Amino acid sequence: MNNSVSNNPAQQALRQVRREVSQQTQILQNLIPPTVSYTTEGNVLVIGPEDLARLAADKLSAMAGRVILANEPITSQEEAHLEAVMAAAEEVESYYNKLIGIKGFLGQFQVSVEHDNGAAELSVVALRKPHFDLILDLSREPQIQLEMLPPGYFYVGQDPQKLAEALQELPQMIGQFDKPRYVKVNADLCAHNRNGNNGCNRCLNFCPADAIKSVAKQIEIDPYLCHGAGSCTNACPTGAIAYDQPTPQALHSYLNKLISRFREQAQTAPVVLFHDMGQGGALINDELPGEVLPVALEEVTVASMDHWMASLAWGARQVLILNTSATAPTLTQMLKGELGLANAILDEMGQPQRIRVIDEAELANLWPILDVSLDWPVIVPAVLSEGNKRTQLYAAIDHLNEQAANVDTQLAMGNIPYGLVNINADKCTLCMSCVATCPTQALTDGGDTPALYFVEQDCVQCGLCEAACPEKVISLTPQVNLDKAARQQRRILKEEAPFECIRCGAPFATQSMVHRMLDMVGSHSAFSANIERLKMCGDCRVKDMFEDILQDPEKQLR
């Protein structure tokens, strides 16, 4: 297929099917979505060279309060320019204090500067206000170094077009504004920290807005800074961080219906194209090849590998992710990492590399990409049961594997949230510290029997078990296991007969635990005379002590 047939009757028919299916299929959304509110009075701080800052402040006379922080030399010494500057915003005061830092968001910006041999909040000094509502930054480099700047912070540098847009928008930023609370955190599922041990930090590494922090050993997301990039939900291996609009389950359901309905009506396998609503959305139109189903998201990283793989398992022949110039570098890095892993899994099972990140130039001419995938084997659609993120991902992987070489190999890769827990069974005492700290129950105990069990499919490689082990006998092996039976099997890492009390015969500890106690403290002078008590249960140990006292009441005093 090529561009010469892009408008032939077959393509026109496919586009009509796409339009009908898109109208029939909607993502289920919360009718009353959770939101956060910003309140502003219109107090604006203009940062930059004093001449440019003053000229900009002059055009913001509608704002409630204006303050200039001059942090760079003036940009021109021309007489006419200087005269215009002197006549601009005459009532606005300029400050020359050294900037220490800026934090906050729309309606709540705190700007700390050097003042009287110490530090002070510039809003308090200049306006007698606890904060600024808005910031216009004309500096050569942004004073907040983030890929996604906080709401209310307008960085224009010295770009006239950006400045004109900001000057038009700023006066409209007075009042109360709501935005979605994009994500939610389930602390019970989080693998970040358990029992004082540090584990998973994946979400902390990928937020381009710096909205995620570890506070009191728990992951917290500042909803006022969050832009809804979805990188945290993508990176989270347990599903503890989940996107809310749409939820992961709602997006799965939407993709399933979209693909299934298109296949049924068009009698051909579609290509799913994920794109962001902003810059990517502006590039999408009805001239797309008819078999391409565009899926709009807040950011392209809202859809993660489980959505990609599930789309293929439901019968899409290919998945494309549009990465535009507006995508933050951190998100691009994440996409490349996830893409590499996804296609390595497809390679291992003998599937074509059906997932691809494309740029704007490739979007303009998709035909060569689509032509290649026309020759790939057709995937028989799967019926995937509902489940959590990992369950859906592995179900899709297993179906795609069954449609290809059906291999039972293990794909070893570093720094992935899939793999094995290994123990040195000879030194493990079955203390169950690892079980107590495992957030996904990949590790479980044997109930009444001293045993340690492990299910590979549930392991997120967070390292909490390794950190919690007092004997330091646990190690991790990251891998993707394509052997479904082995991966889902409950494996015995260690089991042993219980140690029975030498007085009453009741089991009260593991053999290895008692033998270790004997090795560690049995030779100590405090225990040497009563070594047998270490072999007794708690009740019998107390009885033995009282019997000893009754036989010789003064023994405890000697």
Side-chain angles (χ1 to χ4, degrees):
M1 185 186 296
N2 56 51
N3 198 36
S4 64
V5 296
S6 64
N7 290 309
N8 65 19
Q11 274 295 304
Q12 292 175 10
L14 288 174
R15 289 189 179 110
Q16 180 60 31
V17 171
R18 180 175 64 200
R19 283 191 289 270
E20 293 173 357
V21 169
S22 297
Q23 291 170 359
Q24 297 167 5
T25 313
Q26 301 295 325
I27 297 180
L28 294 177
Q29 302 279 18
N30 189 343
L31 295 178
I32 308 177
T35 60
V36 294
S37 297
Y38 304 91
T39 302
T40 77
E41 297 177 354
N43 295 306
V44 60
L45 172 66
V46 184
I47 305 175
E50 184 175 9
D51 55 334
L52 300 184
R54 185 161 293 281
L55 291 171
D58 188 62
K59 297 177 181 178
L60 292 171
S61 57
M63 306 304 290
R66 294 169 289 168
V67 175
I68 293 171
L69 179 60
N71 67 338
E72 293 177 7
I74 62 174
T75 60
S76 173
Q77 296 289 343
E78 291 182 3
E79 185 175 347
H81 175 75
L82 293 177
E83 288 179 358
V85 170
M86 293 294 291
E90 294 179 321
E91 73 281 15
V92 178
E93 189 170 356
S94 293
Y95 291 83
Y96 306 91
N97 309 62
K98 182 178 180 181
L99 179 64
I100 296 174
I102 303 173
K103 62 180 180 180
F105 43 82
L106 178 64
Q108 294 283 338
F109 283 110
Q110 293 179 307
V111 181
S112 180
V113 296
E114 291 183 357
H115 182 71
D116 291 341
N117 298 319
E121 295 298 325
L122 183 58
S123 60
V124 175
V125 174
L127 298 175
R128 302 295 185 265
K129 297 282 186 179
H131 50 253
F132 291 106
D133 298 311
L134 299 149
I135 294 178
L136 176 62
D137 188 354
L138 293 84
S139 309
R140 290 187 181 89
E141 298 291 335
Q143 298 304 299
I144 296 180
Q145 294 291 327
L146 291 174
E147 294 174 9
M148 288 186 167
L149 295 168
Y153 183 92
F154 291 79
Y155 176 70
V156 301
Q158 295 175 17
D159 184 323
Q161 180 61 36
K162 290 183 179 179
L163 176 60
E165 293 171 358
L167 292 174
Q168 185 175 10
E169 188 173 352
L170 279 164
Q172 303 174 33
M173 303 295 289
I174 300 174
Q176 181 171 311
F177 305 90
D178 295 333
K179 81 162 187 179
R181 185 183 289 265
Y182 291 107
V183 297
K184 53 188 176 182
V185 182
N186 184 343
D188 293 336
L189 294 177
C190 183
H192 172 57
N193 194 291
R194 293 277 174 114
N195 303 332
N197 297 304
N198 188 53
C200 176
N201 295 306
R202 291 179 180 274
C203 61
L204 295 171
N205 299 327
F206 287 105
C207 181
D210 198 28
I212 307 177
K213 303 287 185 185
S214 176
V215 179
K217 300 181 180 180
Q218 286 195 330
I219 292 296
E220 291 188 3
I221 298 177
D222 188 332
Y224 294 94
L225 293 176
C226 176
H227 282 258
S231 53
C232 54
T233 66
N234 200 313
C236 180
T238 66
I241 303 179
Y243 214 80
D244 197 58
Q245 291 289 329
T247 64
Q249 297 80 6
L251 183 53
H252 272 292
S253 177
Y254 171 75
L255 291 169
N256 185 9
K257 292 176 182 177
L258 189 71
I259 294 166
S260 302
R261 289 170 179 171
F262 184 89
R263 284 182 60 98
E264 181 180 354
Q265 295 183 35
Q267 294 298 300
T268 190
V271 173
V272 173
L273 170 64
F274 292 107
H275 65 89
D276 69 278
M277 294 179 181
Q279 188 165 323
L283 299 171
I284 302 299
N285 55 50
D286 197 49
E287 296 305 309
L288 275 177
E291 62 266 51
V292 177
L293 299 178
V295 177
L297 305 167
E298 188 75 26
E299 294 284 348
V300 288
T301 42
V302 170
S304 50
M305 189 163 62
D306 54 307
H307 297 104
W308 303 347
M309 291 292 192
S311 295
L312 296 176
W314 284 318
R317 79 172 193 248
Q318 193 174 14
V319 169
L320 304 177
I321 303 107
L322 175 60
N323 190 33
T324 71
S325 57
T327 305
T330 295
L331 303 186
T332 297
Q333 178 189 354
M334 163 173 277
L335 276 178
K336 290 180 178 178
E338 290 293 283
L339 177 69
L341 174 59
N343 279 325
I345 293 172
L346 294 174
D347 281 343
E348 185 74 12
M349 66 176 66
Q351 283 278 7
Q353 291 196 353
R354 295 181 182 266
I355 304 172
R356 179 167 176 166
V357 173
I358 63 171
D359 58 25
E360 298 174 39
E362 290 172 309
L363 176 67
N365 183 22
L366 280 177
W367 301 109
I369 296 173
L370 302 181
D371 285 347
V372 172
S373 64
L374 280 173
D375 296 329
W376 293 344
V378 175
I379 296 171
V380 177
V383 177
L384 304 181
S385 58
E386 292 187 5
N388 61 28
K389 179 176 181 176
R390 295 179 78 79
T391 301
Q392 289 274 39
L393 173 62
Y394 274 123
I397 288 174
D398 291 336
H399 180 77
L400 294 171
N401 189 18
E402 291 166 3
Q403 297 282 301
N406 203 18
V407 300
D408 58 2
T409 55
Q410 293 76 44
L411 178 63
M413 296 184 73
N415 193 32
I416 58 173
Y418 317 97
L420 291 171
V421 168
N422 314 293
I423 70 163
N424 183 335
D426 293 336
K427 295 183 178 180
C428 173
T429 61
L430 292 175
C431 70
M432 300 302 162
S433 295
C434 54
V435 172
T437 198
C438 180
T440 62
Q441 294 187 315
L443 290 166
T444 53
D445 61 34
D448 295 333
T449 303
L452 177 62
Y453 298 114
F454 173 68
V455 178
E456 182 178 356
Q457 178 158 310
D458 297 331
C459 179
V460 298
Q461 297 284 290
C462 64
L464 284 169
C465 57
E466 187 176 20
C469 179
E471 285 93 24
K472 304 302 177 188
V473 298
I474 293 179
S475 62
L476 306 177
T477 302
Q479 65 175 31
V480 177
N481 191 350
L482 295 176
D483 187 334
K484 177 181 177 181
R487 191 185 66 240
Q488 295 181 340
Q489 177 188 13
R490 189 177 77 154
R491 297 173 47 203
I492 300 172
L493 296 185
K494 180 172 181 177
E495 66 177 347
E496 59 184 41
F499 191 96
E500 297 176 350
C501 175
I502 59 175
R503 280 189 56 151
C504 69
F508 72 95
T510 65
Q511 294 275 348
S512 54
M513 182 70 76
V514 173
H515 291 311
R516 180 163 187 185
M517 285 194 300
L518 292 171
D519 292 340
M520 291 177 64
V521 302
S523 58
H524 194 281
S525 58
F527 296 92
S528 58
N530 302 290
I531 189 70
E532 294 302 299
R533 285 182 187 158
L534 294 176
K535 302 177 184 178
M536 300 178 189
C537 66
D539 291 342
C540 291
R541 194 176 302 131
V542 173
K543 291 177 183 177
D544 189 67
M545 290 173 63
F546 274 99
E547 289 172 0
D548 204 17
I549 293 172
L550 290 174
Q551 292 175 6
D552 185 1
E554 297 182 0
K555 181 177 181 181
Q556 302 300 315
L557 303 177
R558 294 197 292 269

